[in-house]
């Protein structure tokens, strides 16, 4: 089910995932990398299915592989399980920081 906001379709995602954004002002087409990263990191299977339905499998996989700059290790592992076409060695978020420890998590 697609909700409509001001003549624009938006994915049917719980606003709790975007607690730090003004959901009514959010442009879901332009912010796709942020949305996909947030859902891969924090969402369940239902939310993953919704972003794939909304953006399309190809766009979601391309964003995870080439455009998202950071995902924690558990989210990278989760993405690899959810999208078997991904390879860790091709993911920018893995290559960008595989040797760099991140202490804030």
């Amino acid at each position: 089910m697609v909700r409509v906001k001001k003549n624009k379709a938006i994915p049917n995602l719980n606003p709790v995932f975007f607690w730090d954004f003004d959901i009514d002002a959010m442009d879901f087409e332009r912010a796709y990398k942020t949305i996909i990263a947030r859902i891969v990191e924090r969402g369940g299977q239902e939310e993953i299915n919704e972003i794939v339905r909304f953006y399309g499998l190809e766009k979601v996989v391309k964003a995870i592989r080439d455009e998202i700059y950071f995902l924690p290790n558990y989210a990278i592992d989760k993405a690899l399980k959810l999208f078997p076409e991904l390879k860790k060695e091709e993911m920018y978020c893995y290559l960008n920081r595989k040797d760099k420890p991140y202490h804030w998590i």
Side-chain angles (χ1 to χ4, degrees):
M1 179 175 180
V2 176
R3 297 182 307 184
V4 177
K5 170 185 83 165
K6 299 178 192 168
N7 299 325
K8 289 187 178 185
I10 62 172
N12 188 21
L13 297 169
N14 191 330
V16 77
F17 288 107
F18 308 103
W19 71 91
D20 52 345
F21 293 98
D22 180 3
I23 197 98
D24 294 325
M26 197 169 192
D27 183 342
F28 284 86
E29 286 300 325
R30 288 184 49 202
Y32 72 95
K33 289 186 280 188
T34 301
I35 293 162
I36 292 170
R38 182 72 56 96
I39 295 303
V40 167
E41 186 176 347
R42 301 175 188 270
Q45 187 63 50
E46 186 176 318
E47 290 82 19
I48 296 292
N49 292 344
E50 180 61 16
I51 62 169
V52 168
R53 186 204 57 78
F54 187 78
Y55 293 114
L57 179 62
E58 186 177 314
K59 186 172 184 173
V60 171
V61 169
K62 183 180 183 319
I64 295 169
R65 184 182 54 233
D66 302 329
E67 300 175 28
I68 295 173
Y69 298 133
F70 179 80
L71 285 174
N73 287 335
Y74 70 87
I76 291 172
D77 293 338
K78 181 178 175 184
L80 292 170
K81 288 178 188 166
L82 292 168
F83 302 102
E85 52 272 289
L86 290 172
K87 291 181 177 61
K88 187 183 264 189
E89 299 78 24
E90 296 175 351
M91 294 173 68
Y92 183 78
C93 59
Y94 175 74
L95 296 173
N96 186 39
R97 49 143 292 297
K98 70 179 180 183
D99 294 331
K100 300 174 188 172
Y102 51 100
H103 64 282
W104 59 87
I105 295 180

